[in-house]
Amino acid sequence: MENNLSDRFFDKLTAVINNKELIKLVISNPKIKSSGINSIIITIAQLKRGYRLSFVYRYSTKDITKNYEFVEGVALIKKALVEDFSNGDLFCIKENISLVTTPSGKIKINTHEPTLQPVSAFRHDKVKDRLINTAGNIYLRELEITNANWEVRREMSDKFRQINRYIELIEPEIKELTKDFTIPQEYHIADMGSGKGYLTFALYDYLANTLGVIPMMTGVELREDLVKSCNIIAKKSGFNQLFFKTGTIQEVELQKIDILIALHACDTATDDAIYRGIKSNASLIVCAPCCHKQIRKELNVTNELSNITKFGILKERQAEIITDTIRALLLEAHGYKTKVFEFISTEHTPKNVMIVGRKISSMSPIFGKIMEDVATIKKIFGIERHHLEQALRGKE
Ligand SMILES: C[S@@+](CC[C@H](N)C(=O)[O-])C[C@H]1O[C@@H](n2cnc3c(N)ncnc32)[C@H](O)[C@@H]1O
């Protein structure tokens, strides 16, 4: 490392941490992929024991949080940036500073105008950003989104914002379903790949306590440890009709599905979830796709468009667009009025598209035409199979 440049970065980092001017530090671009850690997000957390540096280690399918005293935390940051990762993006109140280590070991430092607000400003966000109440809401505290005083913890402010955005987006869809009823309706809801349950609990809370519908909700999750902890939190929160089940999206037994949710279910797990929603005649299907590996591997463009898959990152984006376009078209073909929009815009997640389908007919009157359009897209991009299309074909 070039000492003077990196020392300048670490001196600045230590100063902004000590002055509590750090909004966040994002360490990314691992030099060696085998550790499985894609990035580390570091913020300052106020714990009972005092201020700590909170490290969120982001893996592909999970996040692990660890808190460290400042001195120990800064040493770990230095080690990560010297040995394991190429990029460090420091977001402070007064400026943003980025450190990049090139493959030849050269260090580049760039300083920019600040782009993020400190969390105290977020606390005064408009009511629209706070559809979920924090005071007395046990699941938020159990999930460590709020602290003992029911305040949103600094390092969880992005997650809280995501939860509120999710509720904001889903609210009109549920209202549309319930608009013709004068008495509360019961809805069987499956949340496929519920993970730690952040969005599952929030939706249950909002439906039961704000919209006044009766949610009969099941979170389906591969990982038994998460299922166990979510069931404990549901009980503590008094959410009597919310259960978590260990199982796979493909095979879990569910009595009925009125509303199918799949948020950030990996790769073809999103297709499996949509398939179950369509086959269960779900009234509403909501998904926020995650990675799009299946179609990326299939892409084989040999015509005049071949250059659009020449560059890795652009090929990745093409794969996302094609995968999700075909998913949306297949929903339309099966009688769902379908919308695709941005879920949440953040600097560090590409997982920000949401697809919502509302059942309006048993099958589209132009089913054949839509399937021809899907076939044309596949042909242009040299795609042999799309997981959802094949599932729907195979079992029809
Ligand atoms: C990225 S997390 C998303 C969690 C949550 N839906 C959210 O958006 O916050 C994806 C979760 O889906 C689970 N998962 C992936 N494939 C699955 C499958 N086939 N069946 C059940 N769960 C699955 C993973 O274990 C993981 O907890």
Side-chain angles (χ1 to χ4, degrees), residues 327-362:
R327 285 171 176 159
L329 288 173
L330 291 171
L331 276 165
E332 285 190 342
H334 288 82
Y336 287 83
K337 187 172 176 191
T338 303
K339 295 190 252 183
V340 181
F341 47 83
E342 189 175 71
F343 178 9
I344 188 153
S345 130
T346 63
E347 315 88 53
H348 299 289
T349 174
K351 305 173 193 173
N352 65 353
V353 162
M354 186 171 260
I355 304 175
V356 174
R358 198 158 45 75
K359 188 90 179 159
I360 53 168
S361 62
S362 60

Side-chain angles (χ1 to χ4, degrees), residues 296 308-320 350:
R296 194 186 190 286
I308 71 165
T309 54
K310 184 172 166 185
F311 303 99
I313 177 76
L314 300 178
K315 184 173 183 185
E316 191 98 29
R317 296 208 178 143
Q318 288 299 335
E320 283 171 31

Side-chain angles (χ1 to χ4, degrees), residues 193-195 199 221-223 226 247-250 263-264 266 269:
S194 48
L199 300 165
E221 171 53 52
L222 275 180
R223 285 180 49 190
L226 295 181
T248 64
I249 294 169
Q250 300 87 325
L263 303 171
H264 311 126
C266 323

Side-chain angles (χ1 to χ4, degrees), residues 46 123 130 134-135 145-154:
Q46 191 177 4
R123 289 215 177 104
R130 305 288 302 260
T134 51
I145 291 171
T146 52
N147 61 21
N149 300 321
W150 310 107
E151 294 159 344
V152 177
R153 294 168 68 220
R154 175 182 266 271

Side-chain angles (χ1 to χ4, degrees), residues 30 37 51 56 59 86 163 181 217 254 290 300 309 323 332-333 348 361 376 388:
I37 302 173
Y51 288 101
V56 178
Y59 293 78
S86 299
I163 288 173
F181 299 104
M217 205 166 195
L254 296 168
C290 183
N300 179 21
T309 54
T323 309
E332 285 190 342
H348 299 289
S361 62
T376 305
L388 175 59

